[in-house]
Amino acid sequence: MERSGRGLSEKSLRALAGARSFERGLSYLDAVSGVEVGDARVTASVHGTERYEVELDLSGAESVTGECDCPYGLEGNFCKHLVALGLTLLTQQETLPERRKAAQNRAQGLDAWLSGLSREDLLALVRGEITEDGPLRRRLELRAASARGDLAGVRARIRELLDIGPFTEYGYVAYADARAYSDQAGQAISAITALTASGRAADAIALAREAMRLLADAVESVDDSDGRLGRLGAGLADAHLEACRAARPDSDELARWLVAHVLGDIDDLTGVDPLDYEDVLGERGMAVLRELALGAWRANRTGWAEKYLVERLAKAGGDVDAVVAMHAADLAPSGHTHLVVAGELDTAGRCEEALSWAERGIQDVRDLAAVDTALVDYLCDRYTRADRGREAVVLRRDHFGARRTLFAYQQLRAAARAADCWQTERVEALALLRADAERPRERRQAGSVLVDVLLDDGDTDAAWRAATDTGADERQWLALADRARADRPADALGIYLRLAEPLTRQTGNTVYEQLVSLLLSMRDCHRRLGTQDECTAYVAALRTAHRRRRNLMRLMDDHGL
């Protein structure tokens, strides 16, 4: 019977969490402790790998939401710990209304009591609490320093918050202590945003940048497996952007800082996006930003970060020519860069230029065997859509001539069939493979490709002759036997026997499955030849020789062998 209560039910929990997290949550019911019921929210602790704090919001009439500080929950998922709390509440649903009412009464009573205290009594109360509660005292000290504009005091406190010293053992913050450190470091973000709110945004900018550097130094010595410091870095980036929007700093200086930051070692932690600052930088600042980025790229043309920044800024400004020029300065020998340029030009609606760049890519590639196949595909698609199918065939032919692979053959076949010239192209392609197969050093590989393409064409007889003349691997011989079994059972039987023989000396379930598959094919050949007695004798001898291999015997029994 479905149990429910104010939007909370087993069905809703399963829907929110998914089947797997719901089932895993069932095993955490005994790990839930410290349940506190408020008017609409319920909090608790759930002991998993470590202790996690969970909160369910029951204010919605039809839906439930929740938060958990476990790694999975921090990604926005409804985790097993939330499921465990929800299921725990369902077992206590009869008492929930009364507990909500009691929580509301307590909150109202506390508010009324505090409101009735004199200023002196309230100060005495707060002073007493901060004397006993160190974390509360430090938070209030930080807020006080921010409120009175004590920049030196705020800076000193932020440095303390980001100092890993109190959490380290042998100079490193272990996983078990990383959460406590990140909780403490997170107070720095609150302090910086408070400075902005109090009208000291310029100071907040400076402190945000300093905090980013301190956090980047700290992360090297913290086991941040849960990614908490990464989220703190993103929070500092948001605080910096908010402060810049409030303070409107010098656009040239901000542009210089953004380029240095994005190309430095800190950006992976903070994820600062220069384009987010466009409204702060204005036209002049964005122009300086682009020029500085371009200068950094010119100084280090092989730098991925420099190239990516220039490309992003150019695209955002609609400067396709700048994007093309940047790629043109570093063309890959495979033609891949030509394809990238063609894609950019296509996006800008400059399709003829895109085609020209792609064709230039083919011309610039010295060895078609090394060409980016996506470039060949792009050109052939463009040719086909423009009713230039013959040109697509020529390109596919040249590519096959350089590659000599089954896939290149299949692509040539598709293009030639579309252009109604496959018979001619096939003769030339097969002649090329046969010529390769006749060269001693290339015989093994070329012969293998020749057999593959003939099998792919469905020309079993020609494939059989090629395998006999030029050789084939076991996979190909098996495919040939399977194809020829109906018409040439004796030849197929010979192949099955040859392939089965080495398997009889090996062990393992995979080997047994392969061997039994061959035995079934051999039995079919004997049936077609009318020599079932020979098959029976072969299987009996095999059973006698390998009767100790129980899994093989069981598998043979399952298939009536």
Side-chain angles (χ1 to χ4, degrees):
M1 181 176 179
E2 191 70 40
R3 297 172 293 173
S4 64
R6 195 172 179 177
L8 179 69
S9 68
E10 290 182 0
K11 182 178 180 180
S12 66
L13 290 173
R14 185 183 292 273
L16 287 166
R20 183 177 181 183
S21 289
F22 182 84
E23 295 301 325
R24 296 178 71 182
L26 292 172
S27 62
Y28 277 79
L29 294 178
D30 292 337
V32 179
S33 64
V35 178
E36 292 189 11
V37 179
D39 182 35
R41 296 177 181 271
V42 180
T43 61
S45 297
V46 180
H47 295 265
T49 308
E50 57 180 279
R51 191 182 74 175
Y52 298 113
E53 301 301 322
V54 295
E55 179 180 273
L56 282 175
D57 185 349
L58 308 179
S59 60
E62 300 297 332
S63 62
V64 177
T65 59
E67 295 180 358
C68 177
D69 60 359
C70 74
Y72 190 60
L74 287 172
E75 294 177 358
N77 300 297
F78 200 92
C79 65
K80 60 190 176 184
H81 309 112
L82 288 167
V83 171
L85 176 55
L87 292 174
T88 298
L89 292 179
L90 287 175
T91 65
Q92 304 170 1
Q93 60 179 330
E94 292 182 359
T95 65
L96 287 180
E98 181 180 348
R99 294 165 74 181
R100 285 197 190 96
K101 182 62 176 176
Q104 188 178 42
N105 290 338
R106 288 195 301 272
Q108 291 174 347
L110 177 60
D111 184 73
W113 176 67
L114 290 173
S115 299
L117 291 176
S118 66
R119 179 176 182 276
E120 290 73 16
D121 289 341
L122 193 58
L123 284 173
L125 174 65
V126 173
R127 286 167 181 153
E129 291 297 319
I130 62 177
T131 299
E132 298 181 5
D133 190 334
L136 174 61
R137 174 179 54 79
R138 288 189 289 271
R139 288 197 299 272
L140 292 179
E141 286 174 346
L142 187 55
R143 293 184 64 178
S146 299
R148 67 176 180 267
D150 180 6
L151 185 61
V154 176
R155 175 177 282 113
R157 182 67 188 122
I158 286 178
R159 288 175 177 172
E160 290 177 9
L161 291 172
L162 294 171
D163 179 20
I164 63 172
F167 302 89
T168 59
E169 184 176 3
Y170 309 112
Y172 187 76
V173 180
Y175 175 80
D177 299 313
R179 176 180 171 183
Y181 170 74
S182 64
D183 288 345
Q184 173 180 293
Q187 296 176 36
I189 300 175
S190 301
I192 293 168
T193 55
L195 275 176
T196 300
S198 65
R200 302 181 63 88
D203 293 336
I205 292 173
L207 288 180
R209 295 178 184 180
E210 184 174 349
M212 289 180 193
R213 291 194 297 272
L214 292 171
L215 187 63
D217 291 339
V219 77
E220 299 296 328
S221 303
V222 179
D223 182 348
D224 190 33
S225 301
D226 292 342
R228 287 189 171 91
L229 298 192
R231 287 185 286 274
L232 286 178
L236 285 173
D238 291 340
H240 179 265
L241 176 58
E242 180 185 359
C244 287
R245 284 176 172 158
R248 297 289 166 175
D250 178 75
S251 60
D252 288 14
E253 186 280 330
L254 178 58
R256 286 193 293 273
W257 181 85
L258 285 169
V259 171
H261 181 87
V262 170
L263 300 183
D265 298 330
I266 303 177
D267 188 52
D268 288 342
L269 179 66
T270 60
V272 168
D273 186 351
L275 291 177
D276 289 341
Y277 290 78
E278 186 171 5
D279 60 325
V280 181
L281 289 166
E283 290 186 11
R284 172 180 167 77
M286 288 299 294
V288 172
L289 183 68
R290 292 189 182 95
E291 186 60 33
L292 289 171
L294 190 60
W297 170 70
R298 286 171 178 159
N300 183 23
R301 292 179 183 270
T302 60
W304 180 90
E306 288 82 354
K307 184 176 181 179
Y308 180 71
L309 177 59
V310 171
E311 184 178 1
R312 261 196 104 229
L313 292 174
K315 287 182 180 179
D319 192 351
V320 178
D321 290 322
V323 176
V324 171
M326 182 193 64
H327 287 299
D330 185 24
L331 295 173
S334 66
H336 172 74
T337 317
H338 296 78
L339 179 62
V340 172
V341 171
E344 296 292 345
L345 290 168
D346 273 333
T347 301
R350 295 158 60 174
C351 299
E352 290 306 313
E353 293 178 70
L355 178 60
S356 177
W357 263 95
E359 290 175 330
R360 175 184 163 187
I362 294 296
Q363 295 165 5
D364 288 351
V365 173
R366 296 180 180 178
D367 181 6
L368 270 180
V371 73
D372 186 339
T373 55
L375 177 60
V376 178
D377 294 340
Y378 172 88
L379 271 173
C380 288
D381 179 65
R382 287 291 303 267
Y383 288 151
T384 301
R385 288 191 283 116
D387 292 327
R388 297 166 61 182
R390 291 287 180 172
E391 291 176 78
V393 172
V394 171
L395 181 54
R396 291 296 189 192
R397 180 200 305 152
D398 292 344
H399 192 220
F400 169 74
R403 283 288 178 96
R404 309 279 221 286
T405 64
L406 172 61
F407 183 58
Y409 179 87
Q410 291 169 331
Q411 290 178 311
L412 171 60
R413 182 176 62 198
R417 280 177 173 170
D420 198 24
C421 60
W422 173 231
Q423 291 306 316
T424 301
E425 292 294 334
R426 181 174 187 264
V427 170
E428 294 180 4
L430 292 179
L432 184 62
L433 289 177
R434 288 194 179 98
D436 286 343
E438 292 172 0
R439 298 187 182 96
R441 283 187 299 179
E442 299 181 25
R443 182 184 182 91
R444 184 174 181 181
Q445 181 179 358
S448 176
V449 175
L450 179 59
V451 172
D452 276 338
V453 300
L454 290 169
L455 281 170
D456 197 63
D457 278 343
D459 195 345
T460 304
D461 290 339
W464 193 287
R465 289 192 299 271
T468 303
D469 295 340
T470 65
D473 57 32
E474 291 185 356
R475 172 188 58 81
Q476 292 170 322
W477 277 119
L478 180 59
L480 283 167
D482 290 341
R483 296 271 190 93
R485 190 165 67 204
D487 299 323
R488 303 167 62 176
D491 291 335
L493 178 59
I495 294 175
Y496 292 138
L497 286 168
R498 178 168 58 81
L499 294 176
E501 196 277 331
L503 295 179
T504 61
R505 298 191 297 273
Q506 302 175 37
T507 59
N509 290 336
T510 301
V511 172
Y512 297 155
E513 290 173 1
Q514 294 173 351
L515 180 56
V516 168
S517 178
L518 289 172
L519 291 174
L520 293 172
S521 298
M522 291 161 59
R523 184 171 66 181
D524 183 54
C525 290
H526 280 294
R527 181 185 60 78
R528 295 175 185 276
L529 293 168
T531 55
Q532 290 93 329
D533 290 345
E534 292 183 24
C535 181
T536 301
Y538 180 88
V539 171
L542 188 67
R543 277 183 167 277
T544 300
H546 303 291
R547 61 182 179 275
R548 295 184 183 276
R549 300 181 183 179
R550 295 181 180 179
N551 288 350
L552 175 59
M553 296 299 103
R554 186 180 301 112
L555 197 58
M556 292 177 69
D557 290 339
D558 292 341
H559 289 85
L561 291 168

